[in-house]
Amino acid sequence: MARQIGIDLGSANTLIYLKGNGIILSAPTVISIDQNTGKDICFGSQAKKMLGKTPSYIKVSRPVREGVISDMDDTTLLISRLLEKTELVSFFSRPDAYVCVPTKCTEVERRAVQTAIYEAGTRNVSLVQEPLAAAVGAGLRVLNAKGCMVVDIGEGTTETAVISLGEIVVARSQKIAGANLDKAIVNYFYNDRRIEIGELTAERLKLKIGVAHSKINRGESEVLGRNLNNGMVISSTATSKEIHYAIKPALASIVHQIRQTLELTPPELMSDVLSNGIVLTGGGALLPGLAEYIKSELKLNVRVAPKPLESVCIGIGKMLESEGELNRILYRD
């Protein structure tokens, strides 16, 4: 029998789960390509270090943007290299793949994912709704008649869903997520401080001193950028309060999306959500104070999943390992 794998193809990171082995790979969704030869140079962490630092003939590609494939060839090449690294593909063996996709992606976008993963070396490709996998990975009892709500904040999209009896009853998806927080920090320094910084610097600031709630203070950090007044390099200091100010509008959009989802939820399920609260997954859930911020805005209990970065991939894994109804979810899409 062919081996079965689950793939969380994210805008920031790609994770692979092998049935019977667990998560066997986690790598940035980045690949660098020599445009003169068309061959790849490196991928994953090594390629991410090259962002913004390469000569013109080297392209550093982030082929998945806002939760969907933006460059088919680069995605296929990247997944092919990841599968080779894990030794999952050979002349005699091609695994069956189950890949997560956002709930609101179009039919064209869904076919693009299936084509890219198939051409990378898999045998069959099935798609799984991302919020459902995230909820399973977070430990929610999705098969019960009692409703539960998950908010998956990734790099490219934020997915909110209310789930009952193994199905998504209400879902909303928007392309405001982790990457938008980075862009908001870049824009803040450009417009308010007259300093130009890159997205990698913005991401570092978010991870180091970023906060979602104004009551939290994580100190300050040095920032190196270009002074827009004279074009010279400048060293400055950013505070946790500034980063909060910069990303607050994006966080407000995420809260607004959650509120819209709740407004569309049937009354009986709404009472379940009020009782059970909301679970946050995805890399964005790691932002300090986010659960407290959402709780203060919506007056609901909010908690972060045990392993938010891996929740989606863990969810696919649980479906693969199950021999009951949870496994059959894989074949519903």
Side-chain angles (χ1 to χ4, degrees), residues 96-101 113-114 124-128 330-331 333:
D96 291 332
Y98 298 86
V99 189
C100 281
V101 293
V113 172
Q114 290 178 304
N124 297 306
V125 183
S126 301
L127 303 181
V128 183
L330 291 171
Y331 309 102
D333 202 326

Side-chain angles (χ1 to χ4, degrees), residues 151-155 157-158 177-179 181 206-207 212 251 254 280-291 294 304 308-309:
V151 178
D152 183 50
I153 308 171
E155 177 76 0
T157 61
T158 295
L181 302 184
K206 179 184 69 176
L207 295 175
L251 297 178
I254 293 173
L280 305 181
T281 65
L286 293 173
L287 184 67
L290 183 59
I294 296 174
V304 178
L309 274 172

Side-chain angles (χ1 to χ4, degrees), residues 6-309:
I7 301 177
D8 176 13
L9 182 61
S11 301
N13 296 287
T14 296
L15 290 82
I16 298 178
Y17 186 105
L18 174 61
K19 183 178 180 180
N21 293 75
I23 297 176
I24 59 173
L25 182 141
S26 177
T29 311
V30 188
I31 187 167
S32 61
I33 299 170
D34 186 328
Q35 298 189 91
N36 293 332
T37 63
K39 296 182 178 180
D40 58 293
I41 301 170
C42 59
F43 58 90
S45 299
Q46 287 182 299
K48 186 176 180 179
K49 293 176 182 177
M50 299 171 67
L51 283 167
K53 301 177 182 179
T54 61
S56 59
Y57 70 91
I58 295 178
K59 178 178 73 169
V60 182
S61 174
R62 306 188 80 160
V64 180
R65 296 277 184 175
E66 298 180 337
V68 296
I69 291 175
S70 60
D71 191 307
M72 175 76 77
D73 293 336
D74 290 354
T75 302
T76 300
L77 183 57
L78 174 60
I79 298 301
S80 176
R81 293 291 178 262
L82 294 176
L83 293 177
E84 287 176 6
K85 183 177 180 179
T86 55
E87 300 181 348
L88 287 172
V89 176
S90 68
F91 181 78
F92 301 101
S93 175
R94 290 161 65 95
D96 291 332
Y98 298 86
V99 189
C100 281
V101 293
T103 53
K104 300 300 182 181
C105 66
T106 66
E107 188 60 35
V108 172
E109 292 167 342
R110 292 164 68 90
R111 283 201 302 270
V113 172
Q114 290 178 304
T115 301
I117 302 299
Y118 175 78
E119 292 184 352
T122 61
R123 189 178 68 163
N124 297 306
V125 183
S126 301
L127 303 181
V128 183
Q129 292 179 311
E130 195 169 291
L132 192 53
V136 173
L140 299 181
R141 297 179 179 179
V142 299
L143 298 176
N144 290 358
K146 198 167 186 178
C148 55
M149 185 172 188
V150 64
V151 178
D152 183 50
I153 308 171
E155 177 76 0
T157 61
T158 295
E159 303 274 320
T160 56
V162 176
I163 300 165
S164 178
L165 295 172
E167 298 279 359
I168 293 177
V169 181
V170 181
R172 301 280 294 182
S173 177
Q174 69 173 348
K175 296 176 180 179
I176 296 180
N180 297 86
L181 302 184
D182 300 339
K183 291 176 183 176
I185 295 171
V186 170
N187 292 336
Y188 166 76
F189 277 91
Y190 190 93
N191 296 320
D192 291 48
R193 297 277 295 271
R194 302 301 295 163
I195 299 174
E196 184 180 12
I197 63 172
E199 289 189 14
L200 282 181
T201 299
E203 182 184 32
R204 180 182 63 80
L205 288 171
K206 179 184 69 176
L207 295 175
K208 190 173 182 180
I209 60 172
V211 294
H213 202 288
S214 58
K215 292 183 179 180
I216 301 175
N217 186 356
R218 300 179 68 195
E220 55 187 38
S221 178
E222 183 185 22
V223 183
L224 291 175
R226 179 186 292 114
N227 189 327
L228 293 173
N229 295 323
N230 56 26
M232 301 299 291
V233 175
I234 184 174
S235 174
S236 184
T237 299
T239 65
S240 185
K241 185 177 180 180
E242 285 181 292
I243 303 303
H244 170 70
Y245 171 80
I247 65 177
K248 191 174 181 180
L251 297 178
S253 295
I254 293 173
V255 170
H256 179 66
Q257 178 184 334
I258 298 172
R259 185 176 282 113
Q260 286 181 318
T261 306
L262 291 170
E263 289 172 353
L264 296 171
T265 301
E268 293 299 326
L269 288 179
M270 184 64 167
S271 64
D272 292 339
V273 173
L274 289 173
S275 173
N276 296 333
I278 299 171
V279 177
L280 305 181
T281 65
L286 293 173
L287 184 67
L290 183 59
E292 291 81 359
Y293 170 72
I294 296 174
K295 181 178 180 179
S296 66
E297 292 292 315
L298 299 176
K299 312 305 178 188
L300 288 171
N301 289 325
V302 183
R303 63 183 176 89
V304 178
K307 295 182 178 179
L309 274 172

